[in-house]
Amino acid sequence: HIEQNHINVKIADIDIDLYPKNADVIVKVNGMEIPINNLPYQHPTAKIQMKKTGEGISVFAPSLGLHEVYFDRNSWTVKVV
């Protein structure tokens, strides 16, 4: 079974998974799902933020070299610092 739109981002010791499920985008941090209504989310130890942007999810970690990963059900974009 291949998840064609699954993205995995590893930053420091943090593992972020983004993938579509039904009409939503699911976010997992180290295997733990972050409910969409808990966004915006700030990781307690790492300088990583996530927020809902339009139809998708943006992940920001500028101090770790990642400006933004944007993911929605149809596309994804990665911007480095």
Side-chain angles (χ1 to χ4, degrees), residues 19-45:
Y19 56 93
K21 184 177 175 184
N22 304 327
D24 293 320
V25 174
I26 304 297
V27 184
K28 285 187 177 176
V29 177
N30 288 344
M32 201 179 73
E33 190 174 321
I34 309 295
I36 297 287
N37 48 10
N38 284 12
L39 299 179
Y41 169 85
Q42 168 71 55
H43 191 276
T45 55

Side-chain angles (χ1 to χ4, degrees), residues 11-68:
I11 308 171
D13 57 346
I14 311 295
D15 219 344
I16 301 169
D17 290 290
L18 299 159
Y19 56 93
K21 184 177 175 184
N22 304 327
D24 293 320
V25 174
I26 304 297
V27 184
K28 285 187 177 176
V29 177
N30 288 344
M32 201 179 73
E33 190 174 321
I34 309 295
I36 297 287
N37 48 10
N38 284 12
L39 299 179
Y41 169 85
Q42 168 71 55
H43 191 276
T45 55
K47 292 187 177 164
I48 298 173
Q49 286 143 352
M50 293 177 224
K51 67 176 191 181
K52 200 160 163 35
T53 309
E55 293 291 301
I57 306 277
S58 291
V59 177
F60 303 94
S63 65
L64 300 168
L66 178 72
H67 177 65
E68 179 184 3

